[in-house]
Amino acid sequence: MSTELSIPQLRKTFKHIVSPKDADYDKARTVVAGDIDRRPAVIIRTTNANEIAQVISLAKETSLPLAVRSGGHSVHSVVDDGIVLDLSLMKDLQIDAKTKTVWAEAGLTAIELTSATLEHGLAIGFGDTGSVGIGGITLGGGVGYLVRKHGLSIDNLLAAEIVTADGNILQIDETNHADLFWAIRGGGGNFGIATKFKFKLHDLTQAYGGMLCLPATSETIASFLKEAGSAPDALSTIANVMTAPPMPFLAEEYHGKIIILAMLCYAGDANEGEKAIQAFRNIATPLADFLHPMSYSEMFPPDDPDYHPLAVSKNMHLDYVDESVAETMLKHLNQGTGMMSVAQLRVLGGAMARVPADATAYAHRKSKIMANLASVYQDISEKPQHERWADEFQNAITQSNKGAYVNFINTVGEKELEAAYPASTLEKLRLIKAKYDPTNLFKMNQNIFPINL
Ligand SMILES: Cc1cc2nc3c(=O)[nH]c(=O)nc-3n(C[C@H](O)[C@H](O)[C@H](O)COP(=O)(O)OP(=O)(O)OC[C@H]3O[C@@H](n4cnc5c(N)ncnc54)[C@H](O)[C@@H]3O)c2cc1C
C-alpha cells in the first residue's frame, strides 16, 4: 500500500520544498517548452546525495511518478501529480587547474561551469545555450561549439556520482561500475540521479567567432556545409537556415525571409581562427558579420529566462547537403506554417567521430550532419498543422541515416528510442537498466524499459 504525500511532513525532512500553494510554484514547475503545463504534487530541491536518496525512498513509498530536473530545458523534467526532484541548488564546483579537471554538481548550468573554468583558461564544451543544465545535456551526449575539437561533453567525462534506484550512492568511472558509466554517457537519466560529474578540461584562452548572416540560396547553403566539413577541427559551426527575425542590424528587405544565421566558433588562436573563417565570409557578401576575436564565453549571450516558445521540432542526421538537398530545404522553409521556420544544421566529425561507436551509449559517431527542423508558432490549437509541416519536411530530406540525437527528441516512444539508439546499443542499455533500475523508477525521460534476457 502506498503512503499519502503530506507537505507538512515533508517540510520536516526537506528544507527546500515547493508545494502547489507556494507563490513560486508556477515558476518552479515551468520548463523551457511553452506547451508543457504540468502540475506536480511537490517539488523538492535537494542539496546533497543523501537527500536525493530520501526522495527516491519517498517516490517508492508513495508510488508517485518521479521527474528529475537539472536545467529544465527538456520536456521530461516535470510531471503531473508526481514528485519533481530539482537539483538547481546543487552548484558546487571544484576546479583543479593543475590536473585540468573539474568536479561539478549537476545543478550547474553550462554557462555557470564554463565561466568558472574559463577563469583558469580552461573549458569543456556543452551546447549552444548557456542556461542548459549540465545534468541533462551531459547524460544525453552534449553537442556544442567544441564538438569537433574536443568531442561531446561525455567524451570529457571522467567519473560521476550516481544515486541509484535502490538509494545507493555510487562513484562510477571506467573501472568502477563500468557498465553504468558506459550507459550514462548517452543513455540519459534512465539509470540513476547524477549528483556530480568529473570532467577533463582543455586549454582555451582565445577564440574567434560569433554570428555571420548570409543570404540563403541552394548554393550558399551547400557551400556553407562543404566548408564546415573541411574546416579544421578547432572550428565548429551551427548554420540556422531560418526565417529572419526583424533584427535591427539586418536590412528590412530580409525580415521574414529565409536567411542563413550561422554561429561559428574557432576554439584557439584568434589569427588562425580568422583565417579558417575567411572561407565562410567568401561564400557571399554577408548580410551581417559579427565575427571577432573573443573569449569563448561570448558564444553564450544571456538568454531570456521568460522565453517559453511554442515549437515543434524534428531531429535527424544527414549524410550530405548538396544544392539539391538545400533546394528542398528552402522549399519547405518557405512554405513554413509557423511564424518562424528553421533548419538548424550542425556539421559533426572531428574528435567526436574518432570515438568508437560502442565506447559509450551515444552511438551516432559517424553521422556527418545533425539537422533540427523546427517551427515556432503562436497558438497551441494550431500544433497539428505545424507537426504536419515538420513531418513532411523531414520525410522530404531523409537519407540513409535514420538516427537522431536523444537530447533533441521531444516526443517519447519506441520509434524515438530506435532513432536514438542502434539495436545493439539499445539492448545493452535495457540490460543495464534491468540491473540498476529494475522497476523503472526513472521513467520521465526517453524511457529505456528494463529487460532481462
Ligand atoms: C534552447 C535549447 C538549446 C539547446 N541546445 C543544445 C545544444 O546545443 N546541444 C545539445 O547537446 N543539446 C541542446 N539542447 C538539448 C538539451 O541538451 C536537453 O534538453 C537536455 O536534456 C537539457 O538538460 P537540462 O538539465 O537543462 O534539462 P532537464 O529538463 O532538467 O533534464 C533533462 C533530462 O535529463 C534528466 N536529468 C537531468 N539532470 C539529471 C541528473 N542530474 N541525473 C539524472 N537525470 C537527470 C531529466 O530527468 C530529464 O529526463 C538544447 C535545448 C534547448 C531547450
Side-chain angles (χ1 to χ4, degrees), residues 32 68-74 76-77 87 106 127-129 132-133 135-137 139 142-143 189 192-194 346 405 407-408 444-445:
V32 169
V68 180
R69 176 183 176 122
S70 171
H73 273 58
S74 81
H76 309 296
S77 49
L87 294 153
D128 63 359
T129 301
V132 166
I137 195 167
L139 296 169
V143 184
I193 301 174
R346 300 180 188 221
Y405 171 37
N407 268 355
F408 275 135
M444 294 302 297
N445 39 45

Side-chain angles (χ1 to χ4, degrees), residues 3-20 22 40-45 51 54-59 61-62 64 82-84:
T3 320
E4 288 282 310
L5 195 74
S6 154
I7 299 289
Q9 264 322 105
L10 286 181
R11 288 199 198 279
K12 289 185 192 158
T13 313
F14 301 101
K15 208 162 153 213
H16 306 280
I17 296 270
V18 185
S19 85
D22 291 327
V42 66
I43 298 162
I44 305 176
R45 295 196 171 120
E51 275 189 349
Q54 284 177 292
V55 177
I56 289 175
S57 297
L58 178 74
E61 281 158 24
T62 56
L64 291 176
I83 301 167
V84 173

Side-chain angles (χ1 to χ4, degrees), residues 31-33 52 66-78 85-87 105-110 126-145 152-153 161-163 184 188-197 238 300 303 307 309 344 346 362 370 372 405-410 442-446:
V31 294
V32 169
I52 291 175
L66 174 65
V68 180
R69 176 183 176 122
S70 171
H73 273 58
S74 81
V75 297
H76 309 296
S77 49
V78 61
L85 190 163
D86 181 339
L87 294 153
E105 280 194 324
L108 287 157
T109 62
F126 292 102
D128 63 359
T129 301
S131 56
V132 166
I134 67 162
I137 195 167
T138 301
L139 296 169
V143 184
Y145 291 123
L152 303 168
S153 309
E161 181 179 86
I162 304 281
V163 188
I184 65 154
N190 273 283
F191 304 92
I193 301 174
T195 64
K196 54 183 174 178
F197 302 103
I238 301 181
F300 307 97
D303 37 70
Y307 182 57
Q344 182 185 78
R346 300 180 188 221
Y362 186 108
M370 184 187 291
N372 224 7
Y405 171 37
V406 70
N407 268 355
F408 275 135
I409 308 177
N410 292 328
F442 306 115
K443 59 171 172 266
M444 294 302 297
N445 39 45
Q446 196 58 253

Side-chain angles (χ1 to χ4, degrees), residues 208-214 249-250 264 277-278 280-281 284-292:
Y208 188 94
M211 188 204 286
L212 178 72
C213 296
L214 296 169
F249 53 81
L250 206 59
L264 296 92
I277 275 175
Q278 187 57 41
F280 295 86
R281 287 180 156 135
T285 306
L287 306 178
D289 182 344
F290 293 105
L291 299 165
H292 64 289

Side-chain angles (χ1 to χ4, degrees), residues 93-154:
L93 186 67
Q94 306 287 340
I95 299 170
D96 186 336
K98 252 203 196 133
T99 57
K100 296 185 185 169
T101 56
V102 58
W103 269 108
E105 280 194 324
L108 287 157
T109 62
I111 191 62
E112 287 167 345
L113 178 52
T114 301
S115 306
T117 60
L118 281 176
E119 281 179 25
H120 300 266
L122 299 167
I124 174 222
F126 292 102
D128 63 359
T129 301
S131 56
V132 166
I134 67 162
I137 195 167
T138 301
L139 296 169
V143 184
Y145 291 123
L146 304 182
V147 65
R148 286 164 58 85
K149 186 157 189 197
H150 297 304
L152 303 168
S153 309
I154 51 167

